Amino acid sequence: GVNHVALSTIPRTEGLREFRIELPHQEDEFDYANNTASVQVKVVKKTLRLLYVAGKPTREYQHGLTCMLRDPVIRVSGYLQSAYADYVHQGNVVIRELPKTVDEWREYDVILLYDIDPKGLSSQQVSGLESTVNKGAGLLFVAGRNYGLGALIQIHANKMRQLLPVEVDKNRPPGWEQFLDKPVKVERILERKGDSIFRLEPRESVNEDIWKCFPGLYWRHPVTGVKPGAVAMLRTAGEDGGECVMAIQRFGEGACVYLGSDETWRWRNPYGCHDYDLFWSHLVRYLGETRLTGAQRQVLLATDKRLYAPGEKVQLQLQVLDYALIKLLEHEQLSATVIDADKARQVVKLERDKKGLPVYRGEYRPARVGAYRIESRHVLSTSDTDAKEQFSVEGGFKVELRSLEAVDTRADLDGMRTLADKTSGTYLDYTTLTKEALLELAR
């Protein structure tokens, strides 16, 4: 059968690196050519600029800011709106005031707005923030009980309503006095369980145990629902479960995330801050991926193997990695183009996985030997003719003449039995023959 083994390493230097794996030769192997494989990885050293704006110095703010300061990739600039004029704001890069122009906003890769005082932002600043997110920056809304999101969308209605992934009733207060008698557990949406933001441990069984042991939350911001183009990621569990606690949506080239509770600091207990730090680091790095790598890694195009024989079925798989993109592609028809060595092109229709997984699959049978290239690009059907592609990804595979034994080295016992019956031959099954019978045949 097929065994999948994950190998991991932490690169220490920058540049182009080639990783090579070699398997030992076994005596019963038919072909040694596939015992080696190599892959090239480009290692870059970059940092993310994070602007952390908070209305008041709550416990969530103190723990969250300290968590960001521990991350070696994140360069954080904190800004506390309620601080005195001569207060020195915390951060790796200390600032004295919020950005005012578009150019100043674009110095940041991720902007975190934690329960801010909407009166502390001018219309010009909100326009600069929107433009920055539209050009690839990430925006994170963290709700709190001091100001709430109702006041934010009431004062800056046009811009903030577009940026928020959830619908909020501006006439409904955040419920600062609400303190539940029993904490409410938060659970991941089933389809989002494998997302990198929530991957605190490589093994899913252990990862599931970590999320189950997280303490419950005593407060969450009221929302009326998730926007049609957004994707819910966390929700409340239990009998009154189903209320959205975290959601995400695409906005231009960037992404916006809503986190509806300021009590994630409770997740530091009872095992310390390790998993809490990972959650926040993964979240910020996801939002800054476009700026960090030059493009959001939205999809992955691959085949089930790298080498095929002519006429052998090639399984194409397009995996959607961007959570916010899944919702946009819900009613779209996706395809991939296969290009052979003679530059002939064939379009292959991709179908969504029947179990609801964020994977699209298709089949192709190559007729000639040579190197093949596959590509998949997509523009939303509802977009304008000059709209930017949602994703563009490429891959490849090879087709070579191979013997049947090289394709499948397993013995076809049923086929050999049929052949012996039709040719008046003798069929001997080594799996059922006794030692005495083998000795008798040898004589």
Side-chain angles (χ1 to χ4, degrees), residues 62-117:
Q62 296 295 346
H63 285 305
L65 188 62
T66 305
C67 163
M68 305 305 174
L69 290 171
R70 283 193 287 261
D71 194 304
V73 174
I74 301 174
R75 301 283 291 175
V76 58
S77 296
Y79 187 84
L80 191 60
Q81 289 181 301
S82 60
Y84 294 111
D86 57 348
Y87 176 76
V88 179
H89 297 279
Q90 302 180 64
N92 306 110
V93 182
V94 179
I95 60 174
R96 301 194 61 177
E97 60 182 4
L98 291 176
K100 295 181 179 179
T101 65
V102 174
D103 292 337
E104 291 177 353
W105 277 108
R106 291 186 179 176
E107 292 180 6
Y108 299 97
D109 305 308
V110 181
I111 298 96
L112 194 161
L113 303 180
Y114 167 44
D115 195 20
I116 64 169
D117 181 0

Side-chain angles (χ1 to χ4, degrees), residues 10-45:
I10 300 177
R12 301 296 181 184
T13 56
E14 301 175 57
L16 189 64
R17 296 288 179 267
E18 181 177 274
F19 295 93
R20 180 182 176 87
I21 181 173
E22 296 184 6
L23 298 180
H25 294 177
Q26 304 294 332
E27 294 182 358
D28 59 345
E29 284 191 83
F30 182 82
D31 183 12
Y32 295 129
N34 59 356
N35 282 36
T36 62
S38 60
V39 61
Q40 289 187 339
V41 178
K42 186 177 182 181
V43 182
V44 297
K45 182 179 180 181

Side-chain angles (χ1 to χ4, degrees), residues 125-189:
Q125 287 176 311
V126 174
S127 298
L129 171 62
E130 181 200 36
S131 176
T132 302
V133 177
N134 192 44
K135 292 300 182 181
L139 177 61
L140 174 59
F141 293 94
V142 181
R145 281 167 273 191
N146 293 306
Y147 301 100
L149 297 175
L152 183 63
I153 63 174
Q154 189 171 16
I155 295 177
H156 304 290
N158 294 333
K159 306 294 184 182
M160 289 303 177
R161 277 194 179 275
Q162 298 179 46
L163 292 168
L164 264 174
V166 294
E167 298 287 355
V168 178
D169 185 357
K170 64 181 181 180
N171 298 318
R172 189 178 177 186
W176 59 267
E177 76 289 346
Q178 183 182 8
F179 195 82
L180 304 178
D181 295 334
K182 295 181 180 180
V184 177
K185 282 281 190 176
V186 172
E187 64 180 8
R188 297 168 292 168
I189 304 295

Side-chain angles (χ1 to χ4, degrees), residues 6 17 21 26 37 39 49 57 61 98 112 161 169 191 198 254 278 284 361 381 411 416 434:
R17 296 288 179 267
I21 181 173
Q26 304 294 332
V39 61
R49 285 293 307 276
Y61 168 75
L98 291 176
L112 194 161
R161 277 194 179 275
D169 185 357
E191 294 80 4
F198 306 132
L278 281 179
V284 172
R361 295 185 176 90
S381 58
M416 288 189 289
T434 62

Side-chain angles (χ1 to χ4, degrees), residues 129-300:
L129 171 62
E130 181 200 36
S131 176
T132 302
V133 177
N134 192 44
K135 292 300 182 181
L139 177 61
L140 174 59
F141 293 94
V142 181
R145 281 167 273 191
N146 293 306
Y147 301 100
L149 297 175
L152 183 63
I153 63 174
Q154 189 171 16
I155 295 177
H156 304 290
N158 294 333
K159 306 294 184 182
M160 289 303 177
R161 277 194 179 275
Q162 298 179 46
L163 292 168
L164 264 174
V166 294
E167 298 287 355
V168 178
D169 185 357
K170 64 181 181 180
N171 298 318
R172 189 178 177 186
W176 59 267
E177 76 289 346
Q178 183 182 8
F179 195 82
L180 304 178
D181 295 334
K182 295 181 180 180
V184 177
K185 282 281 190 176
V186 172
E187 64 180 8
R188 297 168 292 168
I189 304 295
L190 181 61
E191 294 80 4
R192 306 276 72 78
K193 283 196 172 184
D195 294 346
S196 60
I197 293 177
F198 306 132
R199 181 66 64 178
L200 308 178
E201 223 291 332
R203 293 167 295 176
E204 178 53 34
S205 59
V206 180
N207 194 50
E208 181 70 21
D209 292 339
I210 293 174
W211 279 93
K212 286 182 179 179
C213 79
F214 277 153
L217 308 177
Y218 285 89
W219 179 85
R220 60 188 181 276
H221 197 286
V223 297
T224 58
V226 180
K227 287 185 177 178
V231 178
M233 305 179 73
L234 291 178
R235 65 184 176 192
T236 55
E239 296 180 358
D240 62 337
E243 185 174 341
C244 177
V245 178
M246 184 176 178
I248 186 172
Q249 73 172 3
R250 302 294 305 176
F251 187 85
E253 298 177 19
C256 303
V257 171
Y258 158 80
L259 182 59
S261 179
D262 61 353
E263 292 198 338
T264 62
W265 59 268
R266 296 181 182 276
W267 293 352
R268 292 167 49 88
N269 300 315
Y271 303 115
C273 61
H274 176 73
D275 297 319
Y276 172 84
D277 283 9
L278 281 179
F279 169 74
W280 278 101
S281 294
H282 290 174
L283 180 54
V284 172
R285 292 189 187 198
Y286 165 77
L287 287 170
E289 186 176 357
T290 300
R291 296 287 187 86
L292 191 64
T293 62
Q296 185 80 31
R297 194 185 179 199
Q298 295 180 300
V299 296
L300 177 65

